[in-house]
Structure formats: C-alpha cells, structure tokens
Amino acid sequence: MFELVLLVMLCACGGPDTPPAEPSLQTPLAGSINKNMVVDSIQTGGSYRINIYLPSNYASTNDRLPVIYVLDGGPDNGLFTPIAHITEGLGVRAIIVGIGGFARRSTDYRYPGLNPYYTFLTTELLPKVESTYRIALDQRTLVGHSYGGYFAAAAMLLDRMAGHTFSNFIVMDMATHEQGAPLADMERTMFTATGGKLPGTRLILSGDSFGNAKDVDGFDKMISARGYQGLELRHIPTSSYGHVDMINPAYKESLRLTFKQ
C-alpha cells in the first residue's frame, strides 16, 4: 500500500514527501564532496545545507570552472552523488553545487515562494559559493526535477528579466499542475522585457510518460510559439522510466547536450 501511495504522489504531486533513496554506486568518485557549507537566507527565512563537488585536480590547478547548481541536491536528499558520478563519467570538469532544503520545496519552488527563493539564489547563495571557489561566472547551469523543474523553468523567465545569471537551464519532468497561470504570466512579462531576444540561453527539457510529460510539452509549446532569438531549446524524447527513475538518464543526456556537443 505504501508503494502505491508513493507512486501516486510521484506522478501527480511533483515528488515524494520523503527524499528518494540514493542508489548503490560501486565506483568511488575521483573528485571530492564537501558537505559542511550552510547558507541562511534572509529572503526566504530558511537554512540550506549545501553539497560542493570539486574535480580531482581542482587543488592542483588555477583555472575557473563551469558550475552546475542542482536543486534538491543537498545532504538531506540522495540526488547529489549520482549526479556527481554522471558528471565525472561524461568527463565534464565542473564544480557542482547541491542545494538542500528538501522539506521547503513545495514553498520555495512554487509561486509565490519562488520569487524570494530566486533572490536567495542570486544574491545570497551564489555570492557565498563563488567567493569561495574558482567559478567561471559566464558558465552557470541550473538543474531541477519535478517541483525543482518547475522552478528551473520559472528561473529562466525571471533571470532574463533581471539580467543573465545562468546560461543553461536543465528542466526534468517539471510539475506545473495548477501553477500554469503564474508561469504564463511570467513568460509574457519576459517576452515584453526582452523583446523576444534571449542571447546565450540554452534550455533543455525532458519529461516522462509516467510522470509530467504533458506539463513539459506544454511549457515547450509556450516557449517555442514565441520563436525567441538566441534561445537554444532542446527537448529530449519522452522517456518511460518513471518520474524518479528518469532523473539519471535525463540528466546524463542533458549534460551531454550542454557540454559535449
């Protein structure tokens, strides 16, 4: 009975109340993960534990690296280590920042809470991380799944109204549900503010037939209808793994399209 209830929650409600278990991973990471950073937010009133992955040769080099910010990637969830393994496996040399606060996701990733959360990311979290680590400021990627995917989509709209913080947005099985109207409002505002021009913007969408593929398709249709100049929009073929099981293959293909074209 518990498994059936969990499946309904995953497909209909944008994710479980309990973080998914981290899969067994046999090969040790070459890089390292630091779980000691905590960021307290004035904007949201929340406290966020942060995972930081550094490539194995980070300490012996001095170049600036791309950074991948992963929603639901903190020590309070099992998402981060598989993401780090996939990134290493593809040979992508990047810093990965996993953002905690899993218990707050239904507030932070949804309207209206997504507005202060976006401000938290851009004015509180990013400055702290990027004053500590060597990061290429023009190579930021934001990754989100389910409710996090909805926020990543909304963040692209907010980001292009406010400036250009992130270059790449990876949106996996976004859960729009009853919040389609605020997203459409933000898109109309962004279109007016940008004049339909989004230079240096890459958006990669993926959905699952057992999850929120219809929500992903709807967002794709809304964005594609505008014909934004400068936007690179890629829509990975719909998978049938399941709402949670699609994360690893969708992230792998999205990362390949972002860094290995």
Side-chain angles (χ1 to χ4, degrees):
M1 178 61 71
F2 174 78
E3 289 81 3
L4 178 59
V5 172
L6 178 60
L7 178 61
V8 171
M9 290 169 65
L10 289 173
C11 294
C13 297
D17 289 338
T18 301
E22 183 176 303
S24 176
L25 300 166
Q26 302 300 319
T27 306
L29 283 167
S32 61
I33 297 177
N34 183 336
K35 301 182 179 182
N36 296 325
M37 181 178 285
V38 177
V39 181
D40 297 319
S41 174
I42 295 173
Q43 295 294 326
T44 70
S47 182
Y48 302 88
R49 295 174 61 202
I50 308 298
N51 278 325
I52 305 285
Y53 163 87
L54 299 176
S56 58
N57 63 350
Y58 177 82
S60 61
T61 56
N62 57 14
D63 56 331
R64 293 188 176 273
L65 300 182
V67 60
I68 303 168
Y69 287 94
V70 181
L71 301 167
D72 293 321
D76 53 348
N77 196 6
L79 181 66
F80 190 78
T81 300
I83 290 290
H85 273 270
I86 292 168
T87 306
E88 274 195 2
L90 282 178
V92 175
R93 186 165 171 268
I95 295 170
I96 312 173
V97 180
I99 309 167
F102 191 90
R104 294 182 51 90
R105 65 199 310 269
S106 61
T107 297
D108 288 341
Y109 299 164
R110 312 291 282 171
Y111 181 82
L114 62 83
N115 288 294
Y117 187 74
Y118 173 79
T119 305
F120 153 69
L121 287 185
T122 55
T123 67
E124 297 178 324
L125 176 65
L126 268 66
K128 182 167 184 175
V129 170
E130 296 176 1
S131 65
T132 305
Y133 299 97
R134 302 190 316 269
I135 286 173
L137 303 185
D138 61 343
Q139 298 184 59
R140 298 185 184 104
T141 298
L142 182 64
V143 178
H145 168 260
S146 194
Y147 278 178
Y150 179 88
F151 176 82
M156 187 195 78
L157 307 178
L158 294 172
D159 201 55
R160 291 309 177 264
M161 287 187 271
H164 195 112
T165 302
F166 299 95
S167 296
N168 309 306
F169 301 85
I170 295 176
V171 175
M172 301 182 293
D173 216 30
M174 63 183 288
T176 303
H177 304 339
E178 78 286 354
Q179 294 228 327
L183 201 66
D185 289 343
M186 282 186 279
E187 189 278 330
R188 282 190 291 270
T189 302
M190 184 196 72
F191 181 77
T192 300
T194 62
K197 298 178 181 179
L198 300 179
T201 304
R202 180 182 289 116
L203 171 63
I204 302 178
L205 303 174
S206 57
D208 192 89
S209 59
F210 294 109
N212 302 311
K214 290 183 178 179
D215 290 346
V216 177
D217 292 346
F219 185 68
D220 185 352
K221 183 177 180 180
M222 179 174 66
I223 296 298
S224 296
R226 293 291 196 183
Y228 283 101
Q229 298 178 37
L231 172 66
E232 179 187 339
L233 172 60
R234 306 292 291 272
H235 193 154
I236 298 171
T238 301
S239 64
S240 297
Y241 294 105
H243 179 60
V244 171
D245 289 343
M246 65 86 67
I247 296 174
N248 289 359
Y251 175 74
K252 183 176 183 178
E253 179 61 13
S254 298
L255 203 66
R256 188 188 68 78
L257 290 172
T258 302
F259 291 98
K260 294 291 184 177
Q261 298 189 73

